Amino acid sequence: MPLLFTIAYYALDAVIYLLIATAILSWFPIDPRNRWVRLLHTVTEPILHPIRALVPPIGGFSLDILIAVLLLGVIQRVFLRALTS
């Protein structure tokens, strides 16, 4: 069982880094047809879309990535606590 929690912990870590990469790339004019950008959006969009549906942009700023990183961080701490106990 600890191996499963370890894999889930590191998978969440990877998703958090991908979300941060999505946020950074959103600051630059990058071709959305680029295969790496499409791959990044394919991975992160299922996480971000439900959050965007619940939380509208505030003052032109979208908080969906920040909320997703915080929620995944909480889930990651649960896995970490399960690993240490």
Side-chain angles (χ1 to χ4, degrees):
M1 193 66 150
L3 177 63
L4 183 63
F5 285 123
T6 304
I7 292 170
Y9 178 84
Y10 286 115
L12 286 173
D13 209 25
V15 171
I16 288 171
Y17 286 126
L18 291 175
L19 287 168
I20 292 170
T22 301
I24 292 171
L25 286 177
S26 72
W27 299 338
F28 301 103
I30 296 176
D31 183 17
R33 294 173 299 191
N34 183 320
R35 67 179 172 165
W36 297 109
V37 174
R38 283 190 318 205
L39 177 67
L40 188 62
H41 285 288
T42 301
V43 172
T44 59
E45 196 59 30
I47 298 167
L48 297 176
H49 183 69
I51 297 171
R52 278 191 204 117
L54 293 174
V55 182
I58 299 172
F61 293 104
S62 180
L63 300 176
D64 55 347
I65 294 178
L66 177 65
I67 293 169
V69 167
L70 291 174
L71 287 174
L72 291 175
V74 168
I75 295 168
Q76 200 174 27
R77 286 184 186 243
V78 169
F79 285 134
L80 185 62
R81 196 167 282 186
L83 281 172
T84 57
S85 64

